[in-house]
């Protein structure tokens, strides 16, 4: 009699437990269907959590997504909409696509037209403030560094020119999504980031450059005392493009 009573109680407890689990799973499934999300299942098939919206790619592939007045020099005579055949275009809206290293040109009659980097010798883009122009030169105009394949296509931006020219190579870097479902932390999105490396040119020979006091003094060794004095007096922040540019401009006047 006692054994029968024990089995009956055990059966009722198990039934209640199973019914509670079933009700919970049904509620989770209803929530999932109502939210339009995706369910994530555990190894035994039960619904454990609800996945949020799928990730996307954030950012754009342009150095500057806004079309700005520019100047384009082609390697050969080119026929372009709204213009007579020629080797250059003046005062025309342009922007630089870093994904394919293409120059996008906004025409009056045919919308956006594209010129591949290997067809463009140089490119000038007016700044947002219209105070100055950024100049870009095809990497083919320089002897490519043998140990660096990153700057093998596209354009170098000329920051300072002279006996030693300071160049900047812009490129894209994709920060992949790092979302952790279990911890609910991180980003679901891939983020397009714009990066740049520094280079120094002596004539057509180009070498990669990492800005720093010792690197500058070594690079400008023929004028080391003057450069040391300049760095001591001016105390430039070499992480800032304008202040690094000023050092090269000063050296090129010596």
């Amino acid at each position: 009699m006692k054994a029968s009573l024990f089995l009956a109680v055990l059966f009722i407890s198990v039934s209640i437990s199973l019914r509670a689990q079933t009700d919970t799973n049904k509620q989770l499934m209803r929530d999932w269907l109502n939210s339009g999300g995706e369910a994530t299942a555990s190894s035994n098939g039960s619904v454990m959590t609800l996945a949020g919206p799928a990730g996307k790619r954030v950012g754009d592939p342009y150095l500057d997504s806004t079309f700005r007045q520019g100047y384009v020099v082609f390697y050969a005579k080119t026929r372009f909409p709204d213009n007579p055949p020629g080797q250059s275009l003046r005062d025309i809206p342009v922007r630089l696509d870093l994904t394919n290293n293409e120059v996008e040109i906004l025409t009056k009659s045919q919308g956006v037209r594209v010129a591949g980097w290997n067809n463009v010798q140089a490119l000038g883009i007016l700044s947002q403030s219209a105070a100055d122009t950024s100049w870009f030169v095809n990497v083919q105009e320089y002897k490519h560094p043998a140990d660096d394949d990153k700057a093998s296509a596209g354009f170098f931006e000329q920051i300072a020119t002279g006996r030693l020219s300071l160049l900047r190579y812009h490129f894209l870097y994709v920060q992949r999504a790092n979302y952790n479902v279990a911890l609910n932390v991180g980003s679901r999105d891939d983020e397009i980031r714009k990066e740049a490396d520094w280079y120094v040119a002596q004539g057509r020979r180009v070498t990669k450059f990492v800005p720093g006091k010792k690197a500058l003094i070594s690079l400008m060794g023929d004028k080391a005392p003057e450069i040391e004095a300049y760095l001591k007096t001016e105390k430039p922040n070499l992480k800032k493009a304008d202040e690094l540019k000023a050092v090269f401009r000063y050296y090129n006047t010596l």
Side-chain angles (χ1 to χ4, degrees), residues 33-215:
L33 290 172
N34 290 334
S35 68
E38 296 180 0
T40 300
S42 67
S43 59
N44 63 9
S46 62
V47 177
M48 297 297 293
T49 186
L50 302 175
K56 55 186 180 296
R57 180 159 288 191
V58 178
D60 63 74
Y62 302 102
L63 181 59
D64 181 347
S65 61
T66 302
F67 280 97
R68 304 199 183 279
Q69 290 298 105
Y71 185 98
V72 184
V73 180
F74 299 101
Y75 276 110
K77 184 176 287 189
T78 302
R79 182 179 295 277
F80 222 80
D82 311 321
N83 292 271
Q87 205 166 334
S88 66
L89 295 173
R90 297 172 180 268
D91 299 323
I92 189 166
V94 298
R95 65 184 180 185
L96 184 57
D97 178 356
L98 297 177
T99 300
N100 303 304
N101 291 305
E102 294 175 335
V103 179
E104 293 191 358
I105 302 170
L106 183 60
T107 69
K108 293 179 180 178
S109 63
Q110 298 185 26
V112 178
R113 301 297 294 271
V114 174
W117 70 273
N118 54 332
N119 296 317
V120 177
Q121 184 177 17
L123 170 70
I125 303 178
L126 198 64
S127 66
Q128 184 176 1
S129 63
D132 55 16
T133 299
S134 297
W135 285 98
F136 301 81
V137 177
N138 196 302
V139 296
Q140 296 175 128
E141 297 299 305
Y142 297 92
K143 293 181 179 179
H144 180 255
D147 59 347
D148 182 10
D149 61 354
K150 184 181 292 180
S152 60
F155 304 90
F156 284 122
E157 181 183 6
Q158 293 182 316
I159 304 300
T161 57
R163 283 182 298 146
L164 277 181
S165 294
L166 179 63
L167 309 174
R168 185 161 52 182
Y169 183 79
H170 299 273
F171 61 94
L172 299 179
Y173 170 74
V174 179
Q175 178 67 51
R176 299 295 181 185
N178 58 1
Y179 181 70
N180 185 311
V181 177
L183 299 177
N184 191 29
V185 295
S187 173
R188 298 176 186 273
D189 303 326
D190 288 343
E191 181 183 356
I192 299 176
R193 295 186 178 181
K194 293 157 190 177
E195 306 283 349
D197 285 338
W198 290 106
Y199 291 81
V200 171
Q202 292 177 290
R204 294 186 64 235
R205 184 170 60 88
V206 175
T207 55
K208 204 164 187 178
F209 175 67
V210 179
K213 181 178 179 180
K214 289 184 179 179

